[in-house]
Amino acid sequence: MRVASLHDADTDEWTLRINPAAIKDSGIYLCQINIEPKLQWPVSLRVEGMESAVAKISGPTEVYVRSGSTISLLCTLKGPTGSPALPHWFQEGRPVALDSPRGGVSLETERTESGMTSKLMLTRAVVADGGNYTCAPPGAEPASVVVHVLNGEQHAAMQRNRNSCLANRSSILWVSITLVMYSWTHWNVPR
């Protein structure tokens, strides 16, 4: 556990342990004793001397794939990780299991000069594979993307909705041009 509150059973002392510490941990922490009246002791923590590592998933924040195709998500970690541990992938807050009965789930992780990359691939995508995916390297800011797995009917409906939207834009453009022409002819006619 990266952040833990530890109690020494032989004393009344509590310790807050943050390991590894990251710049994002900087701030005011409140030590509180639950008696009446409550006693509070603010402690300012400033983590220095290190860059904060940041994860980024390549591409848009929402990804649409057809069922049966491959979902491929690439997470790039730049800056120090503060830990040699590899990034963890989550789907809807649950760890992605590489050994799931579903099969077809793989992970490729590579250390680079500037950080690390982690590529999650799910072959033969099904609707249940959709959802929020998070790449969470220890000691770094996580990154997320929403994956939508579409079956044939949903894909066709999206195409119809997109074409309908384009038709509505064309109608709005035609009405706008007509109004501009009317305004121009109405106000620019010699009287």
Side-chain angles (χ1 to χ4, degrees):
M1 189 179 293
R2 197 177 80 79
V3 179
S5 177
L6 307 171
H7 179 249
D8 183 348
D10 297 331
T11 69
D12 289 335
E13 292 183 12
W14 286 82
T15 303
L16 177 64
R17 184 182 71 201
I18 304 172
N19 186 19
I23 290 186
K24 69 179 183 175
D25 296 318
S26 297
I28 304 291
Y29 289 80
L30 193 61
C31 179
Q32 180 174 309
I33 301 173
N34 289 324
I35 60 172
E36 287 300 327
K38 286 188 176 156
L39 296 176
Q40 297 180 342
W41 184 280
V43 177
S44 177
L45 174 66
R46 187 167 137 187
V47 180
E48 295 179 339
M50 61 193 318
E51 255 181 68
S52 182
V54 177
K56 181 179 186 308
I57 297 177
S58 301
T61 57
E62 290 201 45
V63 176
Y64 294 86
V65 297
R66 290 183 191 214
S67 60
S69 64
T70 297
I71 298 170
S72 179
L73 303 174
L74 179 65
C75 178
T76 304
L77 178 64
K78 295 208 185 268
T81 62
S83 169
L86 301 176
H88 302 285
W89 282 92
F90 297 90
Q91 180 197 15
E92 296 296 336
R94 293 179 306 278
V96 173
L98 299 175
D99 59 351
S100 75
R102 170 204 184 286
V105 180
S106 65
L107 183 64
E108 297 173 9
T109 303
E110 179 182 348
R111 294 190 190 277
T112 64
E113 286 184 19
S114 61
M116 183 184 304
T117 62
S118 179
K119 184 176 187 179
L120 176 66
M121 294 194 332
L122 294 93
T123 60
R124 301 177 312 277
V126 294
V127 174
D129 292 327
N132 183 299
Y133 283 82
T134 301
C135 173
E141 291 292 326
S144 294
V145 64
V146 177
V147 175
H148 301 275
V149 180
L150 310 173
N151 62 30
E153 296 166 7
Q154 288 174 316
H155 184 70
M158 282 187 62
Q159 293 299 320
R160 278 196 300 276
N161 288 342
R162 192 176 83 193
N163 291 339
S164 171
C165 180
L166 292 174
N168 288 341
R169 286 185 187 161
S170 298
S171 299
I172 291 169
L173 179 62
W174 181 82
V175 170
S176 298
I177 291 172
T178 304
L179 287 173
V180 168
M181 290 177 60
Y182 172 78
S183 298
W184 185 80
T185 56
H186 178 71
W187 295 108
N188 290 323
V189 174
R191 296 182 183 183

PDB file of all heavy atoms in Angstrom, residues 2 19-21 50 53 77 79-88 111 116 137-140:
ATOM      1  N   ARG A   2       0.683   2.166  -0.921  1.00  0.00           N
ATOM      2  CA  ARG A   2       1.528   3.351  -1.049  1.00  0.00           C
ATOM      3  C   ARG A   2       1.331   4.333   0.086  1.00  0.00           C
ATOM      4  O   ARG A   2       2.268   4.945   0.562  1.00  0.00           O
ATOM      5  CB  ARG A   2       1.238   4.034  -2.393  1.00  0.00           C
ATOM      6  CG  ARG A   2       2.298   5.006  -2.811  1.00  0.00           C
ATOM      7  CD  ARG A   2       1.987   5.599  -4.169  1.00  0.00           C
ATOM      8  NE  ARG A   2       1.021   6.664  -4.100  1.00  0.00           N
ATOM      9  CZ  ARG A   2       1.297   7.910  -3.723  1.00  0.00           C
ATOM     10  NH1 ARG A   2       2.510   8.237  -3.376  1.00  0.00           N
ATOM     11  NH2 ARG A   2       0.357   8.825  -3.697  1.00  0.00           N
ATOM     12  N   ASN A  19       4.957   5.947   0.555  1.00  0.00           N
ATOM     13  CA  ASN A  19       6.137   5.382  -0.089  1.00  0.00           C
ATOM     14  C   ASN A  19       5.754   4.672  -1.379  1.00  0.00           C
ATOM     15  O   ASN A  19       4.991   3.710  -1.333  1.00  0.00           O
ATOM     16  CB  ASN A  19       6.828   4.410   0.857  1.00  0.00           C
ATOM     17  CG  ASN A  19       8.140   3.906   0.308  1.00  0.00           C
ATOM     18  OD1 ASN A  19       8.702   4.513  -0.586  1.00  0.00           O
ATOM     19  ND2 ASN A  19       8.603   2.789   0.835  1.00  0.00           N
ATOM     20  N   PRO A  20       6.204   5.137  -2.532  1.00  0.00           N
ATOM     21  CA  PRO A  20       7.097   6.265  -2.724  1.00  0.00           C
ATOM     22  C   PRO A  20       6.312   7.578  -2.730  1.00  0.00           C
ATOM     23  O   PRO A  20       5.169   7.624  -3.167  1.00  0.00           O
ATOM     24  CB  PRO A  20       7.720   6.001  -4.097  1.00  0.00           C
ATOM     25  CG  PRO A  20       6.648   5.255  -4.842  1.00  0.00           C
ATOM     26  CD  PRO A  20       5.945   4.418  -3.793  1.00  0.00           C
ATOM     27  N   ALA A  21       6.948   8.619  -2.245  1.00  0.00           N
ATOM     28  CA  ALA A  21       6.331   9.944  -2.256  1.00  0.00           C
ATOM     29  C   ALA A  21       6.443  10.528  -3.658  1.00  0.00           C
ATOM     30  O   ALA A  21       7.400  10.265  -4.382  1.00  0.00           O
ATOM     31  CB  ALA A  21       7.015  10.856  -1.246  1.00  0.00           C
ATOM     32  N   MET A  50      12.060  15.912  -7.293  1.00  0.00           N
ATOM     33  CA  MET A  50      11.698  14.890  -8.257  1.00  0.00           C
ATOM     34  C   MET A  50      10.576  15.401  -9.147  1.00  0.00           C
ATOM     35  O   MET A  50       9.768  16.200  -8.738  1.00  0.00           O
ATOM     36  CB  MET A  50      11.277  13.603  -7.560  1.00  0.00           C
ATOM     37  CG  MET A  50      10.066  13.799  -6.675  1.00  0.00           C
ATOM     38  SD  MET A  50       9.694  12.483  -5.526  1.00  0.00           S
ATOM     39  CE  MET A  50       9.926  11.037  -6.404  1.00  0.00           C
ATOM     40  N   ALA A  53       5.791  11.725 -12.296  1.00  0.00           N
ATOM     41  CA  ALA A  53       5.572  10.896 -13.476  1.00  0.00           C
ATOM     42  C   ALA A  53       4.117  11.004 -13.911  1.00  0.00           C
ATOM     43  O   ALA A  53       3.224  11.137 -13.082  1.00  0.00           O
ATOM     44  CB  ALA A  53       5.918   9.446 -13.165  1.00  0.00           C
ATOM     45  N   LEU A  77       4.423   6.269 -20.139  1.00  0.00           N
ATOM     46  CA  LEU A  77       4.757   6.854 -18.847  1.00  0.00           C
ATOM     47  C   LEU A  77       6.024   7.663 -19.017  1.00  0.00           C
ATOM     48  O   LEU A  77       7.052   7.136 -19.420  1.00  0.00           O
ATOM     49  CB  LEU A  77       4.965   5.752 -17.810  1.00  0.00           C
ATOM     50  CG  LEU A  77       5.355   6.211 -16.419  1.00  0.00           C
ATOM     51  CD1 LEU A  77       4.236   7.047 -15.802  1.00  0.00           C
ATOM     52  CD2 LEU A  77       5.672   5.027 -15.543  1.00  0.00           C
ATOM     53  N   GLY A  79       8.760  10.451 -17.218  1.00  0.00           N
ATOM     54  CA  GLY A  79       9.245  10.929 -15.929  1.00  0.00           C
ATOM     55  C   GLY A  79       9.528   9.760 -15.020  1.00  0.00           C
ATOM     56  O   GLY A  79       9.245   8.610 -15.337  1.00  0.00           O
ATOM     57  N   PRO A  80      10.084  10.047 -13.848  1.00  0.00           N
ATOM     58  CA  PRO A  80      10.441   8.964 -12.930  1.00  0.00           C
ATOM     59  C   PRO A  80       9.203   8.301 -12.338  1.00  0.00           C
ATOM     60  O   PRO A  80       8.238   8.962 -12.004  1.00  0.00           O
ATOM     61  CB  PRO A  80      11.243   9.678 -11.834  1.00  0.00           C
ATOM     62  CG  PRO A  80      10.755  11.085 -11.872  1.00  0.00           C
ATOM     63  CD  PRO A  80      10.400  11.364 -13.307  1.00  0.00           C
ATOM     64  N   THR A  81       9.225   6.999 -12.240  1.00  0.00           N
ATOM     65  CA  THR A  81       8.080   6.283 -11.671  1.00  0.00           C
ATOM     66  C   THR A  81       8.179   6.194 -10.159  1.00  0.00           C
ATOM     67  O   THR A  81       7.192   5.935  -9.501  1.00  0.00           O
ATOM     68  CB  THR A  81       7.990   4.851 -12.232  1.00  0.00           C
ATOM     69  OG1 THR A  81       9.177   4.161 -11.855  1.00  0.00           O
ATOM     70  CG2 THR A  81       7.815   4.847 -13.715  1.00  0.00           C
ATOM     71  N   GLY A  82       9.365   6.368  -9.604  1.00  0.00           N
ATOM     72  CA  GLY A  82       9.537   6.242  -8.167  1.00  0.00           C
ATOM     73  C   GLY A  82       9.491   4.796  -7.716  1.00  0.00           C
ATOM     74  O   GLY A  82       9.597   4.490  -6.553  1.00  0.00           O
ATOM     75  N   SER A  83       9.305   3.888  -8.641  1.00  0.00           N
ATOM     76  CA  SER A  83       9.203   2.483  -8.296  1.00  0.00           C
ATOM     77  C   SER A  83       9.502   1.652  -9.530  1.00  0.00           C
ATOM     78  O   SER A  83       9.113   2.025 -10.630  1.00  0.00           O
ATOM     79  CB  SER A  83       7.784   2.184  -7.809  1.00  0.00           C
ATOM     80  OG  SER A  83       7.589   0.795  -7.709  1.00  0.00           O
ATOM     81  N   PRO A  84      10.170   0.535  -9.382  1.00  0.00           N
ATOM     82  CA  PRO A  84      10.431  -0.311 -10.541  1.00  0.00           C
ATOM     83  C   PRO A  84       9.201  -1.114 -10.973  1.00  0.00           C
ATOM     84  O   PRO A  84       9.250  -1.833 -11.940  1.00  0.00           O
ATOM     85  CB  PRO A  84      11.540  -1.241 -10.052  1.00  0.00           C
ATOM     86  CG  PRO A  84      11.358  -1.306  -8.577  1.00  0.00           C
ATOM     87  CD  PRO A  84      10.797   0.036  -8.169  1.00  0.00           C
ATOM     88  N   ALA A  85       8.101  -0.973 -10.244  1.00  0.00           N
ATOM     89  CA  ALA A  85       6.899  -1.749 -10.547  1.00  0.00           C
ATOM     90  C   ALA A  85       6.302  -1.346 -11.889  1.00  0.00           C
ATOM     91  O   ALA A  85       6.405  -0.201 -12.311  1.00  0.00           O
ATOM     92  CB  ALA A  85       5.868  -1.563  -9.446  1.00  0.00           C
ATOM     93  N   LEU A  86       5.681  -2.294 -12.537  1.00  0.00           N
ATOM     94  CA  LEU A  86       5.049  -2.067 -13.834  1.00  0.00           C
ATOM     95  C   LEU A  86       3.676  -1.438 -13.654  1.00  0.00           C
ATOM     96  O   LEU A  86       3.048  -1.593 -12.610  1.00  0.00           O
ATOM     97  CB  LEU A  86       4.918  -3.404 -14.572  1.00  0.00           C
ATOM     98  CG  LEU A  86       6.234  -4.141 -14.827  1.00  0.00           C
ATOM     99  CD1 LEU A  86       5.952  -5.486 -15.461  1.00  0.00           C
ATOM    100  CD2 LEU A  86       7.156  -3.316 -15.700  1.00  0.00           C
ATOM    101  N   PRO A  87       3.183  -0.747 -14.696  1.00  0.00           N
ATOM    102  CA  PRO A  87       1.841  -0.157 -14.597  1.00  0.00           C
ATOM    103  C   PRO A  87       0.772  -1.243 -14.481  1.00  0.00           C
ATOM    104  O   PRO A  87       0.925  -2.346 -15.001  1.00  0.00           O
ATOM    105  CB  PRO A  87       1.675   0.602 -15.913  1.00  0.00           C
ATOM    106  CG  PRO A  87       2.961   0.518 -16.628  1.00  0.00           C
ATOM    107  CD  PRO A  87       3.831  -0.473 -15.961  1.00  0.00           C
ATOM    108  N   HIS A  88      -0.301  -0.914 -13.804  1.00  0.00           N
ATOM    109  CA  HIS A  88      -1.448  -1.813 -13.679  1.00  0.00           C
ATOM    110  C   HIS A  88      -2.551  -1.312 -14.595  1.00  0.00           C
ATOM    111  O   HIS A  88      -2.767  -0.103 -14.712  1.00  0.00           O
ATOM    112  CB  HIS A  88      -1.960  -1.841 -12.229  1.00  0.00           C
ATOM    113  CG  HIS A  88      -0.923  -2.268 -11.253  1.00  0.00           C
ATOM    114  ND1 HIS A  88      -0.512  -3.573 -11.115  1.00  0.00           N
ATOM    115  CD2 HIS A  88      -0.191  -1.562 -10.358  1.00  0.00           C
ATOM    116  CE1 HIS A  88       0.414  -3.654 -10.184  1.00  0.00           C
ATOM    117  NE2 HIS A  88       0.634  -2.439  -9.709  1.00  0.00           N
ATOM    118  N   ARG A 111      10.611  -0.679 -21.145  1.00  0.00           N
ATOM    119  CA  ARG A 111      11.258   0.491 -20.543  1.00  0.00           C
ATOM    120  C   ARG A 111      11.995   1.233 -21.651  1.00  0.00           C
ATOM    121  O   ARG A 111      12.658   0.619 -22.477  1.00  0.00           O
ATOM    122  CB  ARG A 111      12.227   0.068 -19.446  1.00  0.00           C
ATOM    123  CG  ARG A 111      11.506  -0.557 -18.272  1.00  0.00           C
ATOM    124  CD  ARG A 111      12.432  -0.743 -17.081  1.00  0.00           C
ATOM    125  NE  ARG A 111      11.803  -1.534 -16.053  1.00  0.00           N
ATOM    126  CZ  ARG A 111      10.975  -1.054 -15.142  1.00  0.00           C
ATOM    127  NH1 ARG A 111      10.671   0.215 -15.137  1.00  0.00           N
ATOM    128  NH2 ARG A 111      10.431  -1.842 -14.236  1.00  0.00           N
ATOM    129  N   MET A 116       8.468   4.599 -19.864  1.00  0.00           N
ATOM    130  CA  MET A 116       8.012   3.233 -20.079  1.00  0.00           C
ATOM    131  C   MET A 116       6.769   3.257 -20.960  1.00  0.00           C
ATOM    132  O   MET A 116       6.014   4.230 -20.949  1.00  0.00           O
ATOM    133  CB  MET A 116       7.670   2.623 -18.714  1.00  0.00           C
ATOM    134  CG  MET A 116       7.241   1.193 -18.731  1.00  0.00           C
ATOM    135  SD  MET A 116       6.758   0.580 -17.087  1.00  0.00           S
ATOM    136  CE  MET A 116       8.212   0.902 -16.128  1.00  0.00           C
ATOM    137  N   PRO A 137       0.292   3.487 -13.292  1.00  0.00           N
ATOM    138  CA  PRO A 137       1.629   3.145 -12.812  1.00  0.00           C
ATOM    139  C   PRO A 137       1.804   3.590 -11.363  1.00  0.00           C
ATOM    140  O   PRO A 137       1.343   4.677 -10.998  1.00  0.00           O
ATOM    141  CB  PRO A 137       2.564   3.944 -13.727  1.00  0.00           C
ATOM    142  CG  PRO A 137       1.698   4.426 -14.852  1.00  0.00           C
ATOM    143  CD  PRO A 137       0.317   4.515 -14.309  1.00  0.00           C
ATOM    144  N   PRO A 138       2.449   2.796 -10.508  1.00  0.00           N
ATOM    145  CA  PRO A 138       2.659   3.205  -9.118  1.00  0.00           C
ATOM    146  C   PRO A 138       3.446   4.513  -9.041  1.00  0.00           C
ATOM    147  O   PRO A 138       4.412   4.707  -9.760  1.00  0.00           O
ATOM    148  CB  PRO A 138       3.481   2.056  -8.525  1.00  0.00           C
ATOM    149  CG  PRO A 138       3.183   0.896  -9.408  1.00  0.00           C
ATOM    150  CD  PRO A 138       2.970   1.463 -10.776  1.00  0.00           C
ATOM    151  N   GLY A 139       2.989   5.440  -8.220  1.00  0.00           N
ATOM    152  CA  GLY A 139       3.684   6.705  -8.031  1.00  0.00           C
ATOM    153  C   GLY A 139       3.494   7.706  -9.139  1.00  0.00           C
ATOM    154  O   GLY A 139       4.201   8.697  -9.206  1.00  0.00           O
ATOM    155  N   ALA A 140       2.551   7.474 -10.043  1.00  0.00           N
ATOM    156  CA  ALA A 140       2.334   8.383 -11.177  1.00  0.00           C
ATOM    157  C   ALA A 140       0.856   8.713 -11.311  1.00  0.00           C
ATOM    158  O   ALA A 140      -0.004   8.002 -10.789  1.00  0.00           O
ATOM    159  CB  ALA A 140       2.836   7.748 -12.465  1.00  0.00           C
TER     160      ALA A 140
END
